[in-house]
Amino acid sequence: MKIRILSFSRLDKYLYEHGMGDKFEEGYDTMSDEEFRYLNEKIEGGWSFDSWEDFVEHFNADSDLAPVPSEHILRVFPND
């Protein structure tokens, strides 16, 4: 399992630079899993957590690796 993260600012910048600024005009929740995984690898270097425990540990510690709702979007990939 992986919990993959995308930052809104990096995602918006990437889409703008590649002429896809309106690709997710309907919202980021319309992104397919394949698109999310690709963008996570491409612009976030695969930023992810391998378990809920790992995520919770970083979140509760307010570590630099902890995503925040106002800046990030997360998706769970159970088979990764």
Side-chain angles (χ1 to χ4, degrees), residues 42-59:
K42 183 75 174 174
I43 64 178
E44 300 291 353
W47 181 16
S48 63
F49 296 94
D50 293 328
S51 69
W52 285 109
E53 292 79 10
D54 189 28
F55 172 81
V56 168
E57 180 182 329
H58 285 280
F59 185 83

Side-chain angles (χ1 to χ4, degrees), residues 5-80:
I5 296 100
L6 287 173
S7 68
F8 291 124
S9 60
R10 285 191 186 114
L11 178 57
D12 289 342
K13 180 180 177 188
Y14 178 87
L15 293 173
Y16 176 77
E17 288 175 350
H18 290 84
M20 300 183 294
D22 61 350
K23 181 161 178 62
F24 301 111
E25 194 171 328
E26 301 294 319
Y28 291 121
D29 58 336
T30 63
M31 189 183 315
S32 72
D33 284 347
E34 292 77 21
E35 290 170 319
F36 197 102
R37 182 182 287 111
Y38 172 81
L39 291 165
N40 168 260
E41 294 290 334
K42 183 75 174 174
I43 64 178
E44 300 291 353
W47 181 16
S48 63
F49 296 94
D50 293 328
S51 69
W52 285 109
E53 292 79 10
D54 189 28
F55 172 81
V56 168
E57 180 182 329
H58 285 280
F59 185 83
N60 286 343
D62 197 20
S63 82
D64 291 342
L65 292 178
V68 294
S70 62
E71 300 291 328
H72 303 100
I73 184 171
L74 286 72
R75 192 169 290 183
V76 177
F77 290 80
N79 298 322
D80 266 1

